[in-house]
Amino acid sequence: MTNIKDLAKMSGVSVSTVSRVLNHHPYVSAEKRAAVLKAIECTNYNRNINAVHLSRGKTQLMGVVLPCTDTPYFALLLKGCAKRALENDYKLVLFQTDYAEEKEIEALQMLKQKQIDSLIICSRKCDLALIQEHIQYGTIVLCEKTTEKSLPSVFIDHYEIFFQALEYLYQKGHKKIGYSVGRKTGSNSSLREQAYRDFLKKYKLPFYFDYIMDDCLYFEDGEKVMQRLRSMDIQPTALIITSDQVAAGIMIECQKKGISIPEQLAVIGFNNEPIAKMMNITTIDIPLVELGGDLFLHAYHGYNSNKQISVKLIERETV
């Protein structure tokens, strides 16, 4: 197999000159560049990309850990990462985990083995302690609020925005408020539940365990939410739904059952997706593409800081 020394010998130049030609260095004479390019063509030379990465100390690869790609939330985060990666001549290595801890560990191992330069974790199951063990091998950026100074993050303050949404519904006259999430575990879901409990405590409202509904991610889960509501002895008058897709599914079910929104049931969604605009759903506007882009830039530049992304409530017809 032809190597760089063979190319230098064939073209009658030094190894360093061949290296400059391969790396598109401008300071090579036209004559020498032509000789090297001819040798490359004659030998059908291909660079050992692993050797190039080793010499540069970088792979130009960044890992992205996320549980799935078929929900708008994670799809738009990934879109933001991919846009910035393209601008900076980077490639993304996707780890779709379905919250399987071994898949997250696989990503951490690739960082340790220098197969990727850095790692973005959009949502996780593994402990922070395990992640911290790997920061010595490269930058790891989280998409969650954390008090760990050694772990940079770009995040939405889910406690703050959830409490604000609850306050908004309370001012509208609602005292029986439920909500749905994708999963009850996880840092963001924990912050939402804490905000919910603090809200109930502030206004001395009763806690109903059934009012917290999980495993709600997709449009069709709107039907499941409404089935749960109908089984309750004391039904909520308002819902915060952490997915516009699920909120839209609830809207359709209410239309089928003759339930008037917002007179009989108020609904707030999350993310301000196109479907929320089409169906006039009040929602929390989260700039997910911007969030994904900032996650990439934090990992790319090795920022050791935490950045909070601002969100806002978009008022429409469902409250």
Side-chain angles (χ1 to χ4, degrees), residues 65 95-110 124-127 130 134:
V65 170
F95 299 89
Q96 187 169 323
T97 66
D98 196 26
Y99 289 116
E101 190 169 354
E102 62 270 19
K103 295 295 183 182
E104 296 176 17
I105 293 172
E106 180 183 328
L108 292 169
Q109 284 295 312
M110 285 189 68
R124 65 180 172 85
K125 184 178 182 180
C126 65
D127 292 335
L130 178 61
H134 290 78

mmCIF file of all heavy atoms in Angstrom, residues 65 95-110 124-127 130 134:
data_model
loop_
_atom_site.group_PDB
_atom_site.id
_atom_site.type_symbol
_atom_site.label_atom_id
_atom_site.label_comp_id
_atom_site.label_asym_id
_atom_site.label_seq_id
_atom_site.Cartn_x
_atom_site.Cartn_y
_atom_site.Cartn_z
ATOM 1 N N VAL A 65 -26.330 12.082 22.023
ATOM 2 C CA VAL A 65 -27.152 11.066 22.689
ATOM 3 C C VAL A 65 -28.573 11.587 22.824
ATOM 4 O O VAL A 65 -28.806 12.659 23.391
ATOM 5 C CB VAL A 65 -26.578 10.738 24.087
ATOM 6 C CG1 VAL A 65 -27.558 9.869 24.875
ATOM 7 C CG2 VAL A 65 -25.236 10.048 23.965
ATOM 8 N N PHE A 95 -26.427 8.547 18.745
ATOM 9 C CA PHE A 95 -26.670 7.420 19.653
ATOM 10 C C PHE A 95 -28.143 7.478 20.066
ATOM 11 O O PHE A 95 -28.522 8.258 20.929
ATOM 12 C CB PHE A 95 -25.780 7.502 20.893
ATOM 13 C CG PHE A 95 -24.313 7.460 20.609
ATOM 14 C CD1 PHE A 95 -23.601 8.625 20.366
ATOM 15 C CD2 PHE A 95 -23.637 6.250 20.574
ATOM 16 C CE1 PHE A 95 -22.234 8.595 20.098
ATOM 17 C CE2 PHE A 95 -22.268 6.201 20.308
ATOM 18 C CZ PHE A 95 -21.575 7.374 20.064
ATOM 19 N N GLN A 96 -28.977 6.673 19.409
ATOM 20 C CA GLN A 96 -30.395 6.619 19.766
ATOM 21 C C GLN A 96 -30.569 5.533 20.819
ATOM 22 O O GLN A 96 -30.386 4.351 20.550
ATOM 23 C CB GLN A 96 -31.241 6.321 18.532
ATOM 24 C CG GLN A 96 -32.727 6.415 18.795
ATOM 25 C CD GLN A 96 -33.535 6.384 17.511
ATOM 26 O OE1 GLN A 96 -33.135 6.936 16.498
ATOM 27 N NE2 GLN A 96 -34.694 5.726 17.557
ATOM 28 N N THR A 97 -30.923 5.932 22.038
ATOM 29 C CA THR A 97 -30.804 5.035 23.186
ATOM 30 C C THR A 97 -32.100 4.397 23.663
ATOM 31 O O THR A 97 -32.063 3.357 24.309
ATOM 32 C CB THR A 97 -30.208 5.799 24.377
ATOM 33 O OG1 THR A 97 -31.146 6.812 24.801
ATOM 34 C CG2 THR A 97 -28.884 6.443 24.014
ATOM 35 N N ASP A 98 -33.245 5.035 23.408
ATOM 36 C CA ASP A 98 -34.508 4.588 23.995
ATOM 37 C C ASP A 98 -34.363 4.445 25.514
ATOM 38 O O ASP A 98 -34.959 3.577 26.142
ATOM 39 C CB ASP A 98 -34.966 3.265 23.372
ATOM 40 C CG ASP A 98 -36.438 2.973 23.670
ATOM 41 O OD1 ASP A 98 -37.198 3.936 23.886
ATOM 42 O OD2 ASP A 98 -36.813 1.783 23.719
ATOM 43 N N TYR A 99 -33.528 5.315 26.078
ATOM 44 C CA TYR A 99 -33.225 5.342 27.520
ATOM 45 C C TYR A 99 -32.640 4.017 28.026
ATOM 46 O O TYR A 99 -32.849 3.634 29.176
ATOM 47 C CB TYR A 99 -34.471 5.723 28.333
ATOM 48 C CG TYR A 99 -34.849 7.173 28.165
ATOM 49 C CD1 TYR A 99 -36.061 7.534 27.574
ATOM 50 C CD2 TYR A 99 -33.990 8.195 28.568
ATOM 51 C CE1 TYR A 99 -36.408 8.871 27.395
ATOM 52 C CE2 TYR A 99 -34.326 9.530 28.382
ATOM 53 C CZ TYR A 99 -35.531 9.864 27.810
ATOM 54 O OH TYR A 99 -35.860 11.176 27.643
ATOM 55 N N ALA A 100 -31.910 3.324 27.150
ATOM 56 C CA ALA A 100 -31.164 2.141 27.579
ATOM 57 C C ALA A 100 -29.789 2.606 28.062
ATOM 58 O O ALA A 100 -29.012 3.175 27.296
ATOM 59 C CB ALA A 100 -31.019 1.142 26.437
ATOM 60 N N GLU A 101 -29.497 2.366 29.327
ATOM 61 C CA GLU A 101 -28.274 2.892 29.926
ATOM 62 C C GLU A 101 -27.024 2.381 29.223
ATOM 63 O O GLU A 101 -26.036 3.113 29.081
ATOM 64 C CB GLU A 101 -28.221 2.528 31.414
ATOM 65 C CG GLU A 101 -27.119 3.239 32.176
ATOM 66 C CD GLU A 101 -27.235 3.071 33.671
ATOM 67 O OE1 GLU A 101 -28.232 2.492 34.141
ATOM 68 O OE2 GLU A 101 -26.315 3.516 34.393
ATOM 69 N N GLU A 102 -27.049 1.145 28.745
ATOM 70 C CA GLU A 102 -25.870 0.584 28.084
ATOM 71 C C GLU A 102 -25.534 1.349 26.796
ATOM 72 O O GLU A 102 -24.367 1.428 26.399
ATOM 73 C CB GLU A 102 -26.057 -0.901 27.795
ATOM 74 C CG GLU A 102 -27.190 -1.271 26.863
ATOM 75 C CD GLU A 102 -28.506 -1.524 27.590
ATOM 76 O OE1 GLU A 102 -28.644 -1.073 28.742
ATOM 77 O OE2 GLU A 102 -29.390 -2.175 26.993
ATOM 78 N N LYS A 103 -26.545 1.910 26.131
ATOM 79 C CA LYS A 103 -26.305 2.700 24.923
ATOM 80 C C LYS A 103 -25.641 4.033 25.267
ATOM 81 O O LYS A 103 -24.783 4.524 24.524
ATOM 82 C CB LYS A 103 -27.614 2.944 24.183
ATOM 83 C CG LYS A 103 -28.274 1.690 23.625
ATOM 84 C CD LYS A 103 -27.416 1.056 22.544
ATOM 85 C CE LYS A 103 -28.093 -0.153 21.939
ATOM 86 N NZ LYS A 103 -27.241 -0.810 20.908
ATOM 87 N N GLU A 104 -26.022 4.615 26.390
ATOM 88 C CA GLU A 104 -25.386 5.852 26.838
ATOM 89 C C GLU A 104 -23.926 5.582 27.224
ATOM 90 O O GLU A 104 -23.038 6.384 26.922
ATOM 91 C CB GLU A 104 -26.156 6.433 28.021
ATOM 92 C CG GLU A 104 -27.570 6.851 27.656
ATOM 93 C CD GLU A 104 -28.366 7.345 28.851
ATOM 94 O OE1 GLU A 104 -27.760 7.671 29.887
ATOM 95 O OE2 GLU A 104 -29.610 7.414 28.759
ATOM 96 N N ILE A 105 -23.691 4.451 27.863
ATOM 97 C CA ILE A 105 -22.326 4.074 28.244
ATOM 98 C C ILE A 105 -21.467 3.841 27.004
ATOM 99 O O ILE A 105 -20.279 4.177 26.980
ATOM 100 C CB ILE A 105 -22.353 2.819 29.152
ATOM 101 C CG1 ILE A 105 -22.999 3.171 30.494
ATOM 102 C CG2 ILE A 105 -20.942 2.267 29.360
ATOM 103 C CD1 ILE A 105 -23.244 1.978 31.397
ATOM 104 N N GLU A 106 -22.071 3.290 25.960
ATOM 105 C CA GLU A 106 -21.357 3.086 24.688
ATOM 106 C C GLU A 106 -20.845 4.419 24.140
ATOM 107 O O GLU A 106 -19.712 4.514 23.657
ATOM 108 C CB GLU A 106 -22.292 2.427 23.683
ATOM 109 C CG GLU A 106 -21.669 2.165 22.319
ATOM 110 C CD GLU A 106 -22.658 1.577 21.338
ATOM 111 O OE1 GLU A 106 -23.554 0.829 21.779
ATOM 112 O OE2 GLU A 106 -22.559 1.864 20.124
ATOM 113 N N ALA A 107 -21.666 5.450 24.225
ATOM 114 C CA ALA A 107 -21.254 6.783 23.763
ATOM 115 C C ALA A 107 -20.100 7.313 24.620
ATOM 116 O O ALA A 107 -19.134 7.881 24.087
ATOM 117 C CB ALA A 107 -22.437 7.736 23.824
ATOM 118 N N LEU A 108 -20.184 7.127 25.920
ATOM 119 C CA LEU A 108 -19.116 7.577 26.818
ATOM 120 C C LEU A 108 -17.817 6.830 26.530
ATOM 121 O O LEU A 108 -16.720 7.405 26.581
ATOM 122 C CB LEU A 108 -19.537 7.377 28.276
ATOM 123 C CG LEU A 108 -20.692 8.280 28.765
ATOM 124 C CD1 LEU A 108 -21.197 7.798 30.119
ATOM 125 C CD2 LEU A 108 -20.247 9.729 28.847
ATOM 126 N N GLN A 109 -17.928 5.552 26.211
ATOM 127 C CA GLN A 109 -16.744 4.753 25.890
ATOM 128 C C GLN A 109 -16.083 5.231 24.600
ATOM 129 O O GLN A 109 -14.855 5.266 24.492
ATOM 130 C CB GLN A 109 -17.123 3.273 25.771
ATOM 131 C CG GLN A 109 -17.353 2.575 27.097
ATOM 132 C CD GLN A 109 -16.083 2.503 27.924
ATOM 133 O OE1 GLN A 109 -15.018 2.125 27.442
ATOM 134 N NE2 GLN A 109 -16.180 2.891 29.190
ATOM 135 N N MET A 110 -16.885 5.627 23.620
ATOM 136 C CA MET A 110 -16.318 6.142 22.365
ATOM 137 C C MET A 110 -15.576 7.453 22.605
ATOM 138 O O MET A 110 -14.558 7.724 21.960
ATOM 139 C CB MET A 110 -17.418 6.316 21.322
ATOM 140 C CG MET A 110 -17.893 5.009 20.718
ATOM 141 S SD MET A 110 -18.998 5.217 19.297
ATOM 142 C CE MET A 110 -17.881 5.922 18.073
ATOM 143 N N ARG A 124 -31.029 11.740 29.356
ATOM 144 C CA ARG A 124 -30.217 10.620 29.855
ATOM 145 C C ARG A 124 -30.966 9.783 30.885
ATOM 146 O O ARG A 124 -31.957 10.231 31.475
ATOM 147 C CB ARG A 124 -28.940 11.156 30.498
ATOM 148 C CG ARG A 124 -29.214 11.981 31.731
ATOM 149 C CD ARG A 124 -27.983 12.547 32.413
ATOM 150 N NE ARG A 124 -28.389 13.477 33.466
ATOM 151 C CZ ARG A 124 -28.717 13.119 34.701
ATOM 152 N NH1 ARG A 124 -28.680 11.851 35.054
ATOM 153 N NH2 ARG A 124 -29.091 14.017 35.593
ATOM 154 N N LYS A 125 -30.402 8.603 31.102
ATOM 155 C CA LYS A 125 -30.837 7.750 32.192
ATOM 156 C C LYS A 125 -29.712 7.530 33.189
ATOM 157 O O LYS A 125 -29.945 7.414 34.388
ATOM 158 C CB LYS A 125 -31.329 6.391 31.666
ATOM 159 C CG LYS A 125 -31.881 5.492 32.764
ATOM 160 C CD LYS A 125 -32.412 4.175 32.212
ATOM 161 C CE LYS A 125 -32.992 3.325 33.348
ATOM 162 N NZ LYS A 125 -33.508 2.030 32.836
ATOM 163 N N CYS A 126 -28.475 7.475 32.723
ATOM 164 C CA CYS A 126 -27.344 7.162 33.607
ATOM 165 C C CYS A 126 -27.077 8.301 34.596
ATOM 166 O O CYS A 126 -27.469 9.447 34.373
ATOM 167 C CB CYS A 126 -26.087 6.838 32.800
ATOM 168 S SG CYS A 126 -25.447 8.204 31.836
ATOM 169 N N ASP A 127 -26.396 7.979 35.681
ATOM 170 C CA ASP A 127 -26.129 8.940 36.745
ATOM 171 C C ASP A 127 -25.121 9.998 36.308
ATOM 172 O O ASP A 127 -24.234 9.731 35.486
ATOM 173 C CB ASP A 127 -25.580 8.224 37.984
ATOM 174 C CG ASP A 127 -26.621 7.334 38.650
ATOM 175 O OD1 ASP A 127 -27.826 7.618 38.477
ATOM 176 O OD2 ASP A 127 -26.229 6.372 39.330
ATOM 177 N N LEU A 130 -21.398 9.012 36.739
ATOM 178 C CA LEU A 130 -20.764 8.255 35.656
ATOM 179 C C LEU A 130 -20.316 9.188 34.535
ATOM 180 O O LEU A 130 -19.230 9.020 33.971
ATOM 181 C CB LEU A 130 -21.744 7.211 35.109
ATOM 182 C CG LEU A 130 -21.249 6.354 33.942
ATOM 183 C CD1 LEU A 130 -20.013 5.548 34.353
ATOM 184 C CD2 LEU A 130 -22.351 5.426 33.448
ATOM 185 N N HIS A 134 -16.059 10.787 32.910
ATOM 186 C CA HIS A 134 -15.584 10.805 31.522
ATOM 187 C C HIS A 134 -15.241 12.205 31.002
ATOM 188 O O HIS A 134 -14.824 12.327 29.850
ATOM 189 C CB HIS A 134 -16.640 10.164 30.606
ATOM 190 C CG HIS A 134 -16.774 8.679 30.785
ATOM 191 N ND1 HIS A 134 -17.465 8.120 31.841
ATOM 192 C CD2 HIS A 134 -16.278 7.638 30.064
ATOM 193 C CE1 HIS A 134 -17.412 6.801 31.748
ATOM 194 N NE2 HIS A 134 -16.701 6.486 30.682
#
